[in-house]
Amino acid sequence: MPPALLLTALVSTAGGIVTHGMYFLAHTAYGFGDVQNLWLAVALFIPYIPGALIAGSVGRRIGARRALHAANALMILAGLVLATRPPELGLWLAAPLYNGAAGLMWPLVEGYVAGGHHGAALHRVIGRFNLTWSATVVPALWIVGAAGDNLAATFGVLLALHFLGAFAIAALPPEPPPLDHAAAAPVASTYPLLLWSSRVLLPVSYLLLDALSPLLPGVWARTGVPLAWAAALSSTWMVARFGIFVLLSRWSGWRGRPGMLVTGALVLLAGFAVALSGSTAAAVLAGLVAFGIGQGAVYYAALYYGMAVGHGEVEQGGRHEAVIGLGYLGGPALALLGLAVGVAPLHAVGAVAAIGMTAGLAPWARRRA
């Protein structure tokens, strides 16, 4: 496996422990309920956005590989703190530190993966990247479920992954592959508008995701699923997302056409509603499958069109990750606002998401008309 994809796999599993598993850990180890988990989700992604936006400038100033080493060191430091089961204040400080460093790391990794590629070659490398990170994030929730409230075990795995990641970073060249402007073929005329639409829909998808994730412990408790199974079952949407990534990586017919974005957005919103409102475990699982399919379609399109239009630059990866961070931040913030005024998170977040999806898909509706 190339070093950049190996690093992707290691950091994806480790990051999944924090990004998706932290709410189960906080629930079991610190007694967090829905509201506290939503606030934790807000805290996690406040530093992620600036971390992603400065990745390109930091990489140019100190070198991309050195910037990756620095981000990895910060993530190890945060993991060490979390492994000691610190007082609650330590959780509130260390988890956002980890995620801020993750925001810095991911655009640089994407630059190493996509840099220098165009057209069909770009499709292939983005396919490998998406399949790698989406497959390796799934075991994160299995690790969390198996370890229960044993933070030393959970974050011991995280630390081991990051120590291995340091060797993968060392195997990378000092800088990502340079862009060959002469080889860069012009993109289809629909790509810029598709990029705009996908960049609107992408934060909407993560807005839904980060409203859903902190609430899943409560959803499973309501349906009578034991907590030991809850984290593992929550990975259902990740497995479904991996499946759609496999399809899109092998079939190029979706490129340049809005149909996948339209379908993905509608399935995404329906899956969110069913997962949160389902009264049985089977209904929640069905909602999670639909959610994963829709989220995967929107994510794949946004990353592909961003890298195709921006020719694989780190700054494009930074914008892609910053947009994701905005969605991650907006979801729990809207859910908390809804709870404060007596509106269920499903309705508060779902209404705003529907407006965002309408805005993202409006250009294609006008064209069809």
Side-chain angles (χ1 to χ4, degrees):
M1 179 181 286
L5 287 182
L6 175 59
L7 179 62
T8 297
L10 294 168
V11 177
S12 180
T13 305
I17 291 172
V18 176
T19 305
H20 302 293
M22 184 59 73
Y23 312 113
F24 292 96
L25 296 171
H27 181 78
T28 57
Y30 293 91
F32 278 23
D34 287 351
V35 172
Q36 287 171 298
N37 264 341
L38 286 167
W39 278 115
L40 180 60
V42 170
L44 277 174
F45 283 92
I46 287 176
Y48 188 91
I49 298 168
L53 290 174
I54 66 172
S57 59
V58 171
R60 284 192 301 273
R61 179 166 297 184
I62 67 173
R65 188 170 61 189
R66 288 178 180 173
L68 282 172
H69 275 304
N72 196 52
L74 286 174
M75 295 161 97
I76 288 173
L77 175 62
L80 285 169
V81 173
L82 292 168
T84 65
R85 195 172 183 146
E88 191 174 311
L89 178 61
L91 170 69
W92 287 100
L93 294 176
L97 172 64
Y98 180 96
N99 229 32
L104 176 64
M105 176 175 279
W106 278 114
L108 294 163
V109 174
E110 289 161 8
Y112 274 101
V113 170
H117 294 286
H118 315 283
L122 180 63
H123 186 140
R124 286 194 298 273
V125 297
I126 287 181
R128 294 189 195 110
F129 172 74
N130 283 338
L131 291 176
T132 300
W133 74 256
S134 63
T136 52
V137 74
V138 176
L141 284 175
W142 301 348
I143 293 166
V144 170
D149 65 349
N150 189 338
L151 298 191
T154 301
F155 289 103
V157 173
L158 179 141
L159 290 169
L161 292 166
H162 279 287
F163 282 123
L164 291 173
F167 291 101
I169 294 170
L172 293 169
E175 300 295 335
L179 173 64
D180 183 355
H181 289 276
V187 297
S189 60
T190 55
Y191 276 28
L193 186 54
L194 283 164
L195 173 60
W196 182 88
S197 290
S198 61
R199 283 273 171 88
V200 173
L201 294 173
L202 184 65
V204 173
S205 77
Y206 276 90
L207 180 149
L208 293 172
L209 171 57
D210 215 32
L212 177 65
S213 292
L215 297 174
L216 279 176
V219 169
W220 291 120
R222 188 185 72 236
T223 57
V225 173
L227 196 60
W229 286 95
L233 288 175
S234 295
S235 69
T236 300
W237 74 268
M238 299 178 182
V239 177
R241 179 175 62 184
F242 177 77
I244 200 68
F245 280 176
V246 171
L247 173 64
L248 297 179
S249 67
R250 296 183 177 180
W251 173 56
S252 60
W254 60 269
R255 286 159 43 188
R257 300 175 181 176
M260 186 187 72
L261 275 177
V262 175
T263 304
L266 296 176
V267 171
L268 173 73
L269 189 58
F272 172 80
V274 172
L276 271 189
S277 62
S279 57
T280 65
V284 175
L285 287 172
L288 290 176
V289 169
F291 184 88
I293 291 171
Q295 206 275 336
V298 171
Y299 178 94
Y300 205 116
L303 180 58
Y304 176 79
Y305 293 129
M307 288 300 185
V309 174
H311 304 300
E313 295 175 338
V314 171
E315 278 78 5
Q316 283 295 331
R319 295 186 190 106
H320 176 78
E321 293 299 330
V323 166
I324 288 174
L326 284 171
Y328 264 129
L329 186 59
L334 281 171
L336 285 166
L337 180 62
L339 288 171
V341 298
V343 178
L346 170 61
H347 304 303
V349 178
V352 173
I355 293 170
M357 287 183 177
T358 302
L361 299 176
W364 306 106
R366 287 196 296 268
R367 278 194 170 196
R368 189 174 180 83

